[in-house]
Amino acid sequence: MTDLSCELKTLRLHMDARFNEQRANFETQLHTAVEKVNARMDAQTHLLIGMQVAIFLALVALIASALIMLATDV
């Protein structure tokens, strides 16, 4: 092998190593970002469920008070 082909091979190995390092770094950052998004979505889901439960309980209380008022009027 000539010196030029050895240098090209070495350069190629360095480029491959750098690419793999950058890819691993990107995958780590992507995984972290996806976990943050999932955590926010879980929090929003819990908030929506809490609001639905609160609305349901308010409706039950409203119906109960209306039934009590009807029962006492009679």
Side-chain angles (χ1 to χ4, degrees):
M1 264 201 273
T2 65
D3 286 341
L4 181 59
S5 63
C6 285
E7 288 179 23
L8 288 174
K9 187 174 183 179
T10 302
L11 180 61
R12 175 61 190 236
L13 290 174
H14 287 300
M15 288 174 61
D16 287 346
R18 183 69 176 146
F19 174 78
N20 289 335
E21 180 183 316
Q22 289 293 325
R23 185 181 66 199
N25 185 31
F26 172 76
E27 287 175 354
T28 301
Q29 290 176 350
L30 179 63
H31 180 69
T32 302
V34 167
E35 284 183 349
K36 286 180 181 179
V37 168
N38 285 340
R40 287 181 189 146
M41 289 176 63
D42 288 345
Q44 288 177 351
T45 299
H46 290 127
L47 178 65
L48 289 174
I49 290 171
M51 289 174 64
Q52 288 173 344
V53 168
I55 291 169
F56 174 74
L57 292 176
L59 288 173
V60 168
L62 183 63
I63 291 171
S65 65
L67 289 175
I68 290 171
M69 288 177 76
L70 286 174
T72 56
D73 286 343
V74 173

